Amino acid sequence: MKRLFIIVLGLTAGSLSFKATAQTTQATANDQMRFGIKAGATLTNIGKYSFLGQEYSTDHKAGFQAGIYADLPMGGGFAFLPEATFTQKGFKLKETVGETTGEINSTLNYLDIPVLIGYRPSPEFTLFAGPQASFLLSQKTVVKANGNEVTSTTDTDNLRKSVAGGVIGVGYSITPNININGRYMMDFQSAAKEDQNQDKAKNRGFALTLGYTF
């Protein structure tokens, strides 16, 4: 019985020591300037879209996001978290009028530059928010009628080349190096130029990424 008590005591002490070491490692990592890479998926739409004199609600479109980030501690649990990411946005729209079903599938590729401030209520969790500038890289829009392609364009003349927006989200560090990050993104300006009568067509949606911090 005495030997069993000693074994249990040893295992308990070892477990507590391991947990304390892990927490110390995590806390130390959070006090250092660090950099990382990330990649994941997006799910976005543009809200309302005007087409042929009618206004439609757009459906979500899946996309891709990948980029780099920095983690710069500011003290008091706060951190400066700038990023540069390639982000796919866009929308889908499908409507049936009479015997004709029309579809629009649009993909817009941006370089997003979020300038975020984060707060860590614990070493593992990070709450963050801040403004974001998005720079248009390319786009492709395909229009179909009854499943047949009518037209396809990569022209960007009618789109804003830069758009202001914002980001809010939460991150969780699985280990000091590996993290997951979920966010909601929304542009404050229309994706289209002012003369296109698309004031409500603003990129918005979610991104979920897996990151590695060096």
Side-chain angles (χ1 to χ4, degrees):
M1 185 69 179
K2 182 178 180 181
R3 181 179 298 176
L4 178 61
F5 175 76
I6 293 174
I7 292 173
V8 172
L9 183 62
L11 290 174
T12 302
S15 175
L16 292 174
S17 176
F18 175 79
K19 183 176 181 180
T21 300
Q23 290 177 339
T24 300
T25 302
Q26 180 72 61
T28 301
N30 285 337
D31 291 334
Q32 299 174 345
M33 180 186 300
R34 307 179 75 195
F35 300 90
I37 57 176
K38 67 172 188 173
T42 60
L43 189 65
T44 63
N45 67 15
I46 60 167
K48 300 292 185 179
Y49 181 76
S50 297
F51 184 66
L52 298 179
Q54 298 291 323
E55 190 174 87
Y56 302 94
S57 295
T58 57
D59 296 322
H60 285 86
K61 178 181 177 67
F64 175 75
Q65 184 180 78
I68 58 176
Y69 60 87
D71 187 334
L72 312 177
M74 299 168 59
F78 289 92
F80 179 48
L81 308 171
E83 300 181 5
T85 64
F86 169 82
T87 306
Q88 283 188 331
K89 305 175 187 179
F91 68 96
K92 292 181 178 180
L93 175 60
K94 185 175 182 178
E95 289 289 332
T96 299
V97 179
E99 298 181 354
T100 302
T101 298
E103 299 177 62
I104 300 176
N105 190 326
S106 183
T107 300
L108 298 95
N109 298 317
Y110 288 90
L111 172 64
D112 283 345
I113 308 293
V115 182
L116 309 174
I117 297 297
Y119 174 72
R120 293 190 172 96
S122 70
E124 297 83 10
F125 282 97
T126 303
L127 308 175
F128 57 85
Q132 173 174 278
S134 299
F135 301 93
L136 182 66
L137 301 176
S138 63
Q139 77 88 24
K140 182 176 182 180
T141 300
V142 177
V143 179
K144 294 182 178 181
N146 294 329
N148 299 312
E149 184 174 318
V150 175
T151 183
S152 176
T153 178
T154 57
D155 186 11
T156 61
D157 289 345
N158 295 329
L159 299 173
R160 294 179 190 267
K161 302 306 184 286
S162 62
V163 184
V167 172
I168 186 170
V170 60
Y172 178 75
S173 296
I174 302 172
T175 73
N177 298 102
I178 300 173
N179 63 82
I180 56 175
N181 182 298
R183 66 185 57 193
Y184 178 74
M185 312 169 291
M186 181 175 179
D187 288 347
F188 303 145
Q189 297 173 288
S190 170
K193 291 182 177 179
E194 293 181 0
D195 60 356
Q196 298 302 304
N197 298 316
Q198 297 285 358
D199 294 342
K200 298 180 180 180
K202 301 176 181 179
N203 290 305
R204 65 196 70 189
F206 302 90
L208 182 64
T209 58
L210 180 67
Y212 185 88
T213 306
F214 298 97

